[in-house]
Amino acid sequence: MGSRDPLCRVRSYCSLADQKVSGSLQEAREALGQRLRELRRAAGMSGRNLAELAGWHESKVSKLEHGTRPPTEMDIRAYCEILGASEQLPDLLATVRNLDSAYVEWRRVLSSGTKRGQHSLAKLAERTKLMRVYQPYVVPGLLQTADYAEAILRQAIDFYRIPDDLDNGVAERIERQQILYRGDRRFHILMGEQALSTGVANADVMTGQLDRLMAVIGLPRVTFGIVPATAYCPAPAMNFVMYDRSLVVVEGVTAELKITQPREIAQYGRAFDILASQSTTCDAARALIRNAISAQHASSTPENSP
């Protein structure tokens, strides 16, 4: 693949995103394991005795309580029954189910193509009053032109080797953008300066996309900012979307992570605020976009062609 291929240019960034996704999931599993360990200790029972009564190998209790083995609903029921903690069962089962839905592999999301995922995002956005978006390397989906979206989704189809429903996926993505114009929702969208030049498509498509960003700056419900390449955030920032203060969706290479813990959501909120405080907006953002348009024009002139 050439140097303009975004899959190559953001390889290290994607690796970091996957580490963050899997790391947050592991933290949640460890927190659940700690709750199970506390229940067992409160009942005055050893791990060995619990394993014997449950008919498990002795090592299973340790794995469950240290988060190295995700518990099933049957495991949780066994804990509560043996330890006489039936009142804890509903909450523990809800936690397990949330863990199952929090980490969703792309092979599941995209199993029938790209349209399904776009439709799910649209439904989620419809229920949101304030959406905060941070995308460092490409233009966020809500602001993409049809040609730019086609290039993005084509690469996703090829990379994940999923059913080719490109036209439907693009149509769904463009339709989703209608939420920018209706209702009383508000949007704060941050995009990395790198996204102005990431080689998603040819110069004509990129120029059209950059023109679209110029128009976005004037939308009444949208606050749009470009985060300079020199900006710094104490937490390694990857692409994420915040839906009000109830959900954060983080994308990795292999899966997406849905974060619902208030403590973690607050941390993402702080990261977003730090990035927003360093972003350029209004006329300063327009100047960056104009420079990027000029660079695209220069790269497409015959004397600069290979």
Side-chain angles (χ1 to χ4, degrees), residues 84-101:
S86 58
E87 74 282 357
Q88 299 286 336
L89 182 60
D91 187 58
L92 289 171
L93 287 178
T95 300
V96 170
R97 290 163 185 162
N98 285 339
L99 280 175
D100 289 340
S101 62

Side-chain angles (χ1 to χ4, degrees), residues 33-274:
Q34 183 176 352
R35 290 180 62 188
L36 296 177
R37 183 164 58 254
E38 290 170 353
L39 279 179
R40 177 178 58 76
R41 289 177 175 173
M45 184 175 293
S46 68
R48 177 176 296 178
N49 288 341
L50 176 59
E52 289 176 354
L53 291 171
W56 298 336
H57 189 279
E58 183 179 340
S59 65
K60 179 173 178 176
V61 173
S62 177
K63 291 177 179 178
L64 291 174
E65 295 182 358
H66 286 87
T68 58
R69 174 173 178 168
T72 65
E73 292 192 17
M74 290 183 63
D75 295 335
I76 296 298
R77 293 182 187 278
Y79 256 86
C80 291
E81 180 180 347
I82 294 170
L83 300 175
S86 58
E87 74 282 357
Q88 299 286 336
L89 182 60
D91 187 58
L92 289 171
L93 287 178
T95 300
V96 170
R97 290 163 185 162
N98 285 339
L99 280 175
D100 289 340
S101 62
Y103 185 87
V104 184
E105 291 187 70
W106 291 121
R107 64 183 179 86
R108 288 170 54 191
V109 176
L110 303 173
S111 60
S112 60
T114 61
K115 181 179 179 180
R116 175 186 170 191
Q118 300 299 312
H119 185 70
S120 297
L121 290 174
K123 291 296 184 183
L124 188 55
E126 290 283 354
R127 302 192 297 269
T128 302
K129 293 299 183 181
L130 171 62
M131 183 184 299
R132 287 171 285 178
V133 180
Y134 174 60
Q135 174 55 264
Y137 286 99
V138 297
V139 174
L142 282 174
L143 307 182
Q144 292 176 5
T145 64
D147 288 339
Y148 189 96
E150 180 178 339
I152 289 281
L153 294 180
R154 165 55 63 197
Q155 291 186 62
I157 289 169
D158 293 343
F159 183 77
Y160 291 105
R161 300 175 181 175
I162 58 176
D164 188 345
D165 67 338
L166 182 61
D167 291 342
N168 289 334
V170 172
E172 192 73 36
R173 176 162 292 189
I174 299 305
E175 173 62 26
R176 179 162 60 97
Q177 296 176 3
Q178 292 304 308
I179 64 170
L180 295 172
Y181 307 98
R182 60 174 185 249
D184 58 353
R185 301 173 193 84
R186 292 182 297 116
F187 304 85
H188 193 165
I189 301 175
L190 299 177
M191 189 185 80
E193 184 178 358
Q194 168 66 39
L196 297 174
S197 57
T198 298
V200 169
N202 62 40
D204 288 340
V205 172
M206 291 299 297
T207 299
Q209 178 61 72
L210 294 170
D211 283 337
R212 161 68 172 154
L213 293 179
M214 295 288 280
V216 166
I217 294 176
L219 294 179
R221 298 179 180 86
V222 179
T223 300
F224 175 74
I226 299 174
V227 180
T230 55
Y232 174 74
C233 181
M238 65 219 55
N239 60 313
F240 61 89
V241 181
M242 303 186 68
Y243 297 89
D244 293 323
R245 288 181 170 82
S246 58
L247 173 67
V248 178
V249 177
V250 185
E251 294 184 348
V253 175
T254 59
E256 69 176 8
L257 179 66
K258 295 180 179 178
I259 296 171
T260 56
Q261 290 286 348
R263 174 181 58 82
E264 289 192 78
I265 291 174
Q267 287 179 324
Y268 275 95
R270 289 196 294 273
F272 188 91
D273 290 344
I274 290 171

